[in-house]
Amino acid sequence: MGLKSYFHLKQVGHNFRQNWPTQLMSLLTVTLSVLIFSFFLLIYLNVVNIGARLGDELRLVVYLDNEVEPALQPLISSKISTYAKADKILFVSRAEAFIRLQKQLEKEKDLLTDLGPEFLPPSIEVYPEKSFRNFTRLKEFSDFLATLPGAQKVQYGQEWLERFGYFTELLRVIVVLSGALLVLATGFMVSCTIRLTVVAKESELEILRLVGASNRYIQAPLFFEGILQGVLGSSLGLTLLYAIFIWTRTHLGGSTFLNQLEYTFLPFSVTAMIIGGTTLLCAWGSLLSIRKHMRI
Amino acid sequence: MGLKSYFHLKQVGHNFRQNWPTQLMSLLTVTLSVLIFSFFLLIYLNVVNIGARLGDELRLVVYLDNEVEPALQPLISSKISTYAKADKILFVSRAEAFIRLQKQLEKEKDLLTDLGPEFLPPSIEVYPEKSFRNFTRLKEFSDFLATLPGAQKVQYGQEWLERFGYFTELLRVIVVLSGALLVLATGFMVSCTIRLTVVAKESELEILRLVGASNRYIQAPLFFEGILQGVLGSSLGLTLLYAIFIWTRTHLGGSTFLNQLEYTFLPFSVTAMIIGGTTLLCAWGSLLSIRKHMRI
Amino acid sequence: MLKLFPDDRPLVDIVKATKVYPPDIVAVQNISLAVAKGELLFLTGMSGAGKTTLLKLICAIEQPTKGVIEVGGRDLAKTGSAEIQQLRQEIGVVYQDFKLLPKLNAAQNIAMPMEVAYRDQREINSRVDELLAILKMTHKREIQTGKLSRGEQQRVAIARAAANSPALLLADEPTGNLDQDSANLVMDLFEQLNREGTTLIIASHDESLYRNSDYRRVQLEHGLFTNHSSPRQLPLINQ
Amino acid sequence: MLKLFPDDRPLVDIVKATKVYPPDIVAVQNISLAVAKGELLFLTGMSGAGKTTLLKLICAIEQPTKGVIEVGGRDLAKTGSAEIQQLRQEIGVVYQDFKLLPKLNAAQNIAMPMEVAYRDQREINSRVDELLAILKMTHKREIQTGKLSRGEQQRVAIARAAANSPALLLADEPTGNLDQDSANLVMDLFEQLNREGTTLIIASHDESLYRNSDYRRVQLEHGLFTNHSSPRQLPLINQ
Ligand SMILES: Nc1ncnc2c1ncn2[C@@H]1O[C@H](COP(=O)(O)OP(=O)(O)OP(=O)(O)O)[C@@H](O)[C@H]1O
Ligand SMILES: Nc1ncnc2c1ncn2[C@@H]1O[C@H](COP(=O)(O)OP(=O)(O)OP(=O)(O)O)[C@@H](O)[C@H]1O
Ligand SMILES: [Mg+2]
Ligand SMILES: [Mg+2]
């Protein structure tokens, strides 16, 4: 066994010296594929993350003619809840609204001196459930809320939301399309590289079979090679991604809104899974690529 | 010449029958590369376009203690202009502001019945030049405007602008990074494909040289092949892009904001340039790939 | 060395073998041939007669369309892939087109069958040196076989086939690119191997190889043995 | 056919040519040889003597380290790439390793030099058929050369070299994989070409090719001509 391992490792070294351009090409393929894959995974995770955070601020405000008497509040709450579950329903009286406005204006508080609370309409604030934070469903919900007795107008930051929705949607489409293109390109690259490797090895494999090499003699070095390439390639790819991530964070650091959002890198478990998965795939692929040469 | 062309075309057909997997692979490479390239070009052009449109709405509003007398207006205008060129500077009196508010509220006009124009502050609206529509420069400009005599507060939709700026910046970074990755992947694919093609042709080229084939005999069919692949591949790539474009527009068509923006496809001139450029590159590349086999 | 093969029956036993290449090229037709252990057999016949095909059937590179091929008592059609590989380590073959790896040097090419059998490195080196010396190729030891002359390549191919001191050695036109002196060296090596117990089947056009010897000789003609061949009559051999 | 070459001087004129392969392998050493137009010359010598190298120098596959090679009065070192290609259309070469395209069939391989010279398609077909008939290979016309036996491949290679009825034909071990009968067919073809004006240089170990003829013969030994060779003494030829 020790002797055999020695033979196999010798083969790996020998193969590398013989075919290093092809080997380097496969390594590059792995690196690039992992980089591309994890890049889009990272973007996707962060978009989801940001979407979730921004969604937390979402509420629908129903402006009313008159204040809702405290006794009626549970009734209206349950009526709203029958249409769609809400995380929170808040009844804001004229007085509360006035206090809020005062807080908001702070410095320019004197602007309000002439006005009393009766100038502001009372309202109901509805914080819809996560599952409901979808543009079209919000619109429908808003239409429903407008039918509540005494409702004057329903507001939910339509314009901002629409723009935000537009951008996330666009981002999503771009991410998905580029991702699809890249999966194509990566698959293409991988199959190209495998073909090149097989072409480079073909005559050697044929002759090894003819002089009586066992499957194990032929496969062991390829297996080692695949593992080596998987580990090296994926680590390299993830390192590059991390470098890009850090660079991007520094580069976009000027905006306060941005820092507020806190990007996250891929968690350790995902990183480990990528390295492990790539290594397995590479080892499996390098065995699979010569499968047809294993028959007699 | 007629006879020779016949020989060369025969060669093209013959080559295709001989190596169609490799030839199909090159065609796919061209298609995918063109698709990827034009995809990012399209996104980039549209982002620039949208950015320009949204920029048109941009203005800074300086709220004042008191109205500016008409006689003083040119003075203040020129003071602002010394700091930064503006497309337009508008002085809004209390009365004008009140009329605007009335227009905006329309239905809820009655809310304002108790109020007079004196409730609203007068203001100066500054529409900065295009070159000035940059987030940090706007901030500086705003700080400068705050030092104007009687200025109370400067507003320029900071929050919205910041968010919009954030998204376009993020989009830009994503587009640039994915573009870079894809350029890498494409370059890789192309070099891989060329290597495969050369490997497939190597022995044939050697033997052709040995039996006395002229450069022209060898190069002419490759040149035709390159042109064919360039034209077919780039047309196919652009057709796919157009399909994706149409699909995306329909898919995102629900939003009004979106329809308002009017995406544009690549103009005809750009399309023609892509096809032409690809064809030249392919013809040149297929000659270049066998260059070293042309020496004796 | 010969442990894989029993002593009491022909080492190679071909019974009514036919090989038809698609679509309908009959290369070998209803042929029967027995080769005793320790024999040295010449296989002759015109170009295209089916010599190479017959050798390929014996080392399981091709499967017969009909008939049975037994090597060392094993029916090749019923032998698993792993066992075939095991068997091939005991069969040395000089291919007509050599099948060397042009990027490896002569020594590496010759060492291949021994490395595949996980031989000891020192043993490998000394065997390589010995074979190179016998074939007068020592000065080409470190040269890539792609850069050798055709005749030198042929000798490397012969050395590789002999490397494992195989129980059976199949040589397909082993002197086609060799001058008389080199051919004699090769024949000397073959006879030495034969004395040490190797069974040899040599396909050749080169009359000078068998002219002055009394080795058995079978002749193929369009895939059939000619009349004066004696395929199943085993000679008495000193063993 | 011979228009490219003047009549009044040797078709091939090698003057003090030396070829050293890197790092320091002297394959051909200070050799001079003149071959008259219409001659048939045998080149012999042990394996590794430098025969193939000499032929490669004549058809400009290798450049000499020292010395001058003239073919048809042209110094090859001073001839441009386009003209070399032109010249090669007039030189047929049977390579020792054949250099056939295994995926093309026999007819396509033989047609190659004629297609490269933009010959008429009908002319090509009839020449291919003629050559296949001479070499008794007509039944293998449509078969990929990769699927032919070695000797059949060799005959295809010979037919390809003869296809253009070249002014000069270089044959490197053209009968190494052929039986006596096929070898005689090949020699007949060569002699027919020679009668039609082709100059031939045949490198071979096969004594039977030149034993009973009085063609000039030069022998290489370690890159040098041996004493009994007469490299620059041109024979009188019927032309
Ligand atoms: N490309 C090369 N690089 C290094 N050495 C070479 C190369 N080609 C040939 N040689 C060496 O030059 C010498 C002459 O080789 P050449 O092929 O001319 O011999 P040859 O007479 O044709 O022999 P054979 O009868 O075996 O074909 C040999 O020793 C050979 O090893
Ligand atoms: N893979 C193949 N496909 C089709 N026909 C084949 C194949 N291999 C060999 N043949 C044909 O089978 C016949 C016998 O071929 P084989 O190689 O056995 O001849 P051979 O006796 O070795 O001849 P040579 O002396 O020329 O090497 C020939 O007619 C050949 O064309
Ligand atoms: Mg054969
Ligand atoms: Mg030679």
Side-chain angles (χ1 to χ4, degrees):
Chain A
M1 182 56 218
L3 182 63
K4 292 190 178 180
S5 292
Y6 162 75
F7 264 104
H8 300 156
L9 287 176
K10 203 179 112 182
Q11 278 276 105
V12 173
H14 165 79
N15 276 355
F16 184 75
R17 255 168 292 132
Q18 214 67 49
N19 295 323
W20 65 264
T22 313
Q23 301 252 0
L24 227 62
M25 212 157 185
S26 340
L27 188 67
L28 210 72
T29 310
V30 176
T31 304
L32 213 59
S33 309
V34 167
L35 179 57
I36 285 168
F37 175 77
S38 56
F39 177 71
F40 280 95
L41 189 65
L42 185 60
I43 289 178
Y44 180 76
L45 287 182
N46 275 292
V47 167
V48 166
N49 211 342
I50 291 168
R53 261 162 222 253
L54 292 179
D56 285 345
E57 296 173 12
L58 192 73
R59 61 178 181 189
L60 293 102
V61 183
V62 189
Y63 291 100
L64 303 169
D65 285 338
N66 292 303
E67 295 197 8
V68 183
E69 283 167 44
L72 280 174
Q73 286 181 3
L75 206 89
I76 291 185
S77 282
S78 75
K79 191 171 180 188
I80 292 173
S81 294
T82 55
Y83 186 85
K85 272 209 176 142
D87 284 348
K88 198 164 68 174
I89 297 175
L90 219 72
F91 292 84
V92 181
S93 66
R94 282 205 169 84
E96 284 164 340
F98 190 69
I99 291 166
R100 272 199 203 168
L101 191 60
Q102 276 184 322
K103 266 191 198 158
Q104 271 175 24
L105 291 178
E106 248 183 296
K107 281 186 201 161
E108 294 116 83
K109 215 182 278 184
D110 33 321
L111 281 174
L112 296 173
T113 41
D114 296 342
L115 301 165
E118 61 291 353
F119 165 62
L120 293 170
S123 61
I124 311 175
E125 291 180 356
V126 182
Y127 293 83
E129 244 198 352
K130 273 222 162 106
S131 67
F132 229 76
R133 287 170 193 166
N134 161 303
F135 193 66
T136 33
R137 299 188 78 183
L138 272 179
K139 208 158 195 170
E140 287 166 19
F141 195 18
S142 141
D143 290 346
F144 163 76
L145 291 176
T147 67
L148 287 181
Q152 242 194 1
K153 192 186 172 185
V154 183
Q155 243 186 13
Y156 53 96
Q158 283 92 331
E159 196 187 349
W160 186 84
L161 206 77
E162 195 167 338
R163 286 183 186 194
F164 176 70
Y166 162 69
F167 279 114
T168 42
E169 184 69 4
L170 193 64
L171 204 62
R172 213 178 58 80
V173 169
I174 290 175
V175 167
V176 166
L177 284 180
S178 332
L181 284 183
L182 278 167
V183 165
L184 272 179
T186 306
F188 196 88
M189 259 163 46
V190 169
S191 77
C192 236
T193 307
I194 285 180
R195 265 187 77 175
L196 271 177
T197 318
V198 169
V199 164
K201 282 194 207 295
E202 214 152 41
S203 56
E204 184 173 351
L205 285 178
E206 188 205 343
I207 291 170
L208 278 175
R209 294 303 284 176
L210 290 180
V211 297
S214 61
N215 284 2
R216 191 209 193 158
Y217 183 90
I218 293 176
Q219 289 175 337
L222 290 177
F223 190 73
F224 285 155
E225 238 171 71
I227 287 183
L228 212 67
Q229 281 184 349
V231 171
L232 278 182
S234 55
S235 308
L236 210 64
L238 287 171
T239 309
L240 280 176
L241 182 69
Y242 191 69
I244 290 176
F245 174 74
I246 294 293
W247 178 83
T248 311
R249 205 165 56 174
T250 333
H251 182 79
L252 292 181
S255 155
T256 44
F257 180 61
L258 251 140
N259 291 338
Q260 210 177 297
L261 283 175
E262 282 178 32
Y263 302 97
T264 49
F265 192 65
L266 300 174
F268 178 73
S269 60
V270 173
T271 315
M273 264 168 58
I274 289 178
I275 294 183
T278 309
T279 306
L280 278 182
L281 268 178
C282 284
W284 179 71
S286 77
L287 292 188
L288 198 75
S289 67
I290 56 150
R291 192 191 36 179
K292 75 165 184 182
H293 294 274
M294 287 293 94
R295 305 188 214 117
I296 295 279
Chain B
M1 181 56 217
L3 180 64
K4 292 191 178 181
S5 292
Y6 162 75
F7 263 104
H8 300 156
L9 286 177
K10 203 179 111 181
Q11 277 276 104
V12 174
H14 165 79
N15 276 353
F16 184 75
R17 256 169 292 133
Q18 212 68 49
N19 295 323
W20 64 265
T22 312
Q23 301 252 359
L24 227 62
M25 210 157 188
S26 338
L27 188 67
L28 210 72
T29 309
V30 176
T31 305
L32 213 61
S33 308
V34 167
L35 179 57
I36 285 169
F37 175 77
S38 56
F39 177 72
F40 281 95
L41 189 64
L42 184 61
I43 289 178
Y44 180 76
L45 287 182
N46 274 292
V47 166
V48 165
N49 212 341
I50 292 169
R53 263 161 220 252
L54 291 179
D56 285 347
E57 298 173 9
L58 190 74
R59 61 176 181 188
L60 291 101
V61 184
V62 188
Y63 292 103
L64 302 171
D65 287 338
N66 292 302
E67 296 197 6
V68 182
E69 283 167 44
L72 280 174
Q73 287 180 2
L75 207 88
I76 291 184
S77 284
S78 76
K79 193 171 178 185
I80 293 173
S81 295
T82 54
Y83 186 85
K85 271 206 178 149
D87 283 347
K88 198 165 67 175
I89 297 175
L90 218 72
F91 292 83
V92 183
S93 66
R94 281 204 168 87
E96 285 163 340
F98 190 70
I99 290 165
R100 272 198 202 169
L101 191 61
Q102 275 182 323
K103 267 190 197 157
Q104 272 175 27
L105 292 179
E106 248 182 297
K107 283 185 203 160
E108 295 115 85
K109 213 182 278 183
D110 32 322
L111 280 175
L112 294 174
T113 41
D114 295 340
L115 299 165
E118 61 288 357
F119 165 64
L120 293 170
S123 61
I124 310 174
E125 290 180 356
V126 182
Y127 294 83
E129 245 197 349
K130 273 223 161 103
S131 67
F132 230 75
R133 286 170 195 165
N134 161 302
F135 193 66
T136 31
R137 299 188 78 182
L138 271 180
K139 208 158 195 174
E140 286 166 20
F141 196 18
S142 141
D143 290 344
F144 163 77
L145 291 176
T147 66
L148 286 181
Q152 241 191 3
K153 194 187 171 186
V154 183
Q155 245 186 11
Y156 55 95
Q158 283 94 331
E159 199 187 347
W160 186 84
L161 205 78
E162 196 167 340
R163 285 180 187 197
F164 176 71
Y166 163 69
F167 279 114
T168 41
E169 184 69 3
L170 193 63
L171 204 63
R172 212 178 59 81
V173 170
I174 291 175
V175 166
V176 166
L177 284 180
S178 333
L181 283 183
L182 280 166
V183 165
L184 271 180
T186 307
F188 196 86
M189 261 162 47
V190 168
S191 77
C192 238
T193 308
I194 285 180
R195 265 188 75 176
L196 270 177
T197 318
V198 168
V199 165
K201 281 193 207 297
E202 213 153 43
S203 57
E204 183 172 352
L205 285 179
E206 188 205 342
I207 291 170
L208 278 174
R209 293 304 283 177
L210 290 179
V211 298
S214 61
N215 284 1
R216 192 210 193 156
Y217 183 89
I218 294 176
Q219 289 175 337
L222 290 177
F223 190 73
F224 285 155
E225 238 172 71
I227 286 182
L228 213 67
Q229 281 186 347
V231 171
L232 279 183
S234 56
S235 309
L236 210 64
L238 286 171
T239 310
L240 280 176
L241 182 69
Y242 191 69
I244 290 176
F245 174 74
I246 294 294
W247 178 85
T248 309
R249 204 164 57 176
T250 334
H251 182 78
L252 291 181
S255 156
T256 43
F257 179 62
L258 250 140
N259 291 340
Q260 208 178 299
L261 281 176
E262 282 176 30
Y263 302 95
T264 49
F265 192 64
L266 300 175
F268 178 73
S269 60
V270 174
T271 316
M273 263 169 58
I274 289 178
I275 294 183
T278 310
T279 307
L280 278 182
L281 267 179
C282 284
W284 180 70
S286 77
L287 291 189
L288 197 73
S289 68
I290 55 150
R291 190 191 38 176
K292 74 165 182 179
H293 294 275
M294 288 293 94
R295 304 189 215 116
I296 293 280
Chain C
M1 176 181 81
L2 296 175
K3 58 193 178 305
L4 266 174
F5 305 122
D7 273 346
D8 54 338
R9 37 196 309 188
L11 187 66
V12 177
D13 201 354
I14 301 173
V15 182
K16 300 196 170 195
T18 296
K19 175 67 190 179
V20 181
Y21 288 110
D24 56 357
I25 299 163
V26 184
V28 154
Q29 216 175 109
N30 201 29
I31 265 190
S32 297
L33 171 68
V35 183
K37 200 159 180 177
E39 198 181 344
L40 193 161
L41 175 84
F42 278 99
L43 186 64
T44 61
M46 277 185 56
S47 170
K51 303 179 293 299
T52 301
T53 304
L54 195 61
L55 296 183
K56 280 183 178 168
L57 290 176
I58 295 172
C59 60
I61 294 178
E62 297 280 359
Q63 280 69 49
T65 316
K66 264 190 275 181
V68 177
I69 316 276
E70 281 187 17
V71 175
R74 277 179 196 70
D75 181 348
L76 292 184
K78 290 172 188 150
T79 308
S81 162
E83 218 178 332
I84 291 268
Q85 290 308 106
Q86 197 72 26
L87 209 64
R88 280 186 182 160
Q89 295 186 7
E90 294 285 333
I91 305 178
V93 186
V94 184
Y95 296 94
Q96 207 169 0
D97 52 356
F98 310 163
K99 296 204 190 294
L100 299 174
L101 285 173
K103 298 274 174 193
L104 297 191
N105 66 34
Q108 288 167 327
N109 268 288
I110 297 171
M112 244 178 165
M114 294 185 277
E115 300 217 321
V116 156
Y118 298 110
R119 291 279 159 82
D120 181 69
Q121 193 60 50
R122 252 167 315 158
E123 197 188 328
I124 294 178
N125 284 337
S126 74
R127 179 70 177 157
V128 166
D129 289 339
E130 181 189 2
L131 287 166
L132 284 173
I134 292 175
L135 296 170
K136 302 222 166 119
M137 288 277 297
T138 307
H139 58 300
K140 298 290 180 189
R141 192 184 199 282
E142 304 297 338
I143 297 191
Q144 293 184 348
T145 53
K147 293 186 171 171
L148 293 178
S149 86
R150 254 339 246 183
E152 288 161 351
Q153 287 176 14
Q154 191 155 36
R155 280 175 282 167
V156 173
I158 291 165
R160 185 182 64 186
N164 260 343
S165 302
L168 176 63
L169 195 150
L170 311 175
D172 200 352
E173 203 69 62
T175 59
N177 290 275
L178 295 182
D179 56 284
Q180 200 54 56
D181 294 354
S182 311
N184 289 341
L185 293 179
V186 170
M187 248 345 259
D188 289 348
L189 173 62
F190 284 164
E191 282 173 342
Q192 184 194 324
L193 287 169
N194 188 234
R195 278 193 300 276
E196 288 164 4
T198 297
T199 308
L200 288 104
I201 303 179
I202 303 172
S204 182
H205 303 298
D206 189 350
E207 260 183 70
S208 68
L209 287 187
Y210 49 82
R211 209 168 17 207
N212 301 319
S213 65
D214 50 1
Y215 295 115
R216 187 158 67 111
R217 181 178 148 226
V218 291
Q219 183 160 358
L220 277 169
E221 214 163 86
H222 299 301
L224 293 162
F225 283 123
T226 51
N227 292 337
H228 57 273
S229 297
S230 48
R232 285 198 66 88
Q233 161 213 320
L234 289 183
L236 287 169
I237 306 161
N238 54 326
Q239 55 166 358
Chain D
M1 176 182 80
L2 295 177
K3 57 192 179 305
L4 266 174
F5 306 122
D7 273 345
D8 52 340
R9 39 196 309 190
L11 186 66
V12 177
D13 201 353
I14 301 173
V15 183
K16 300 198 171 191
T18 296
K19 174 67 190 178
V20 182
Y21 288 109
D24 55 358
I25 299 164
V26 184
V28 155
Q29 215 175 108
N30 201 29
I31 265 189
S32 297
L33 169 68
V35 182
K37 203 161 180 175
E39 198 179 343
L40 193 160
L41 176 82
F42 278 98
L43 187 62
T44 62
M46 278 185 55
S47 169
K51 301 180 295 297
T52 302
T53 303
L54 196 61
L55 296 183
K56 280 183 179 168
L57 290 176
I58 294 172
C59 60
I61 294 177
E62 296 282 359
Q63 280 69 49
T65 315
K66 266 189 277 179
V68 177
I69 317 278
E70 281 188 18
V71 175
R74 276 180 197 72
D75 182 347
L76 293 184
K78 290 174 188 146
T79 309
S81 161
E83 218 178 332
I84 291 269
Q85 290 308 105
Q86 196 73 24
L87 209 63
R88 280 186 182 160
Q89 294 186 8
E90 294 286 335
I91 305 178
V93 186
V94 185
Y95 296 94
Q96 206 170 359
D97 52 356
F98 310 164
K99 296 204 191 293
L100 299 174
L101 284 175
K103 298 272 173 196
L104 296 190
N105 66 33
Q108 287 168 327
N109 268 287
I110 297 171
M112 244 181 165
M114 292 184 279
E115 300 217 320
V116 156
Y118 299 109
R119 290 279 159 83
D120 182 66
Q121 192 62 51
R122 251 167 317 159
E123 195 189 328
I124 293 177
N125 284 337
S126 74
R127 179 70 177 155
V128 167
D129 289 338
E130 181 188 359
L131 286 166
L132 285 173
I134 292 175
L135 296 171
K136 303 221 166 119
M137 289 275 300
T138 308
H139 57 299
K140 298 290 181 189
R141 192 184 199 284
E142 304 297 337
I143 298 192
Q144 293 184 351
T145 53
K147 292 185 172 171
L148 294 177
S149 85
R150 256 336 248 185
E152 288 162 351
Q153 286 176 15
Q154 189 156 40
R155 279 175 283 166
V156 172
I158 290 165
R160 185 184 64 186
N164 261 342
S165 302
L168 176 64
L169 194 150
L170 310 175
D172 200 352
E173 203 69 61
T175 59
N177 291 276
L178 296 180
D179 55 285
Q180 199 55 56
D181 294 355
S182 311
N184 288 340
L185 294 179
V186 171
M187 245 350 255
D188 290 348
L189 173 63
F190 284 164
E191 281 173 341
Q192 184 193 326
L193 286 170
N194 188 235
R195 277 194 301 280
E196 289 166 3
T198 296
T199 307
L200 288 104
I201 303 178
I202 304 172
S204 184
H205 302 298
D206 190 350
E207 258 184 69
S208 69
L209 287 187
Y210 49 81
R211 209 167 18 207
N212 301 320
S213 66
D214 52 0
Y215 295 115
R216 186 159 66 114
R217 178 179 151 228
V218 290
Q219 183 160 359
L220 276 169
E221 213 163 88
H222 299 300
L224 291 161
F225 283 123
T226 51
N227 291 336
H228 57 273
S229 297
S230 47
R232 287 197 63 88
Q233 161 212 323
L234 290 183
L236 286 168
I237 307 160
N238 54 326
Q239 56 166 359

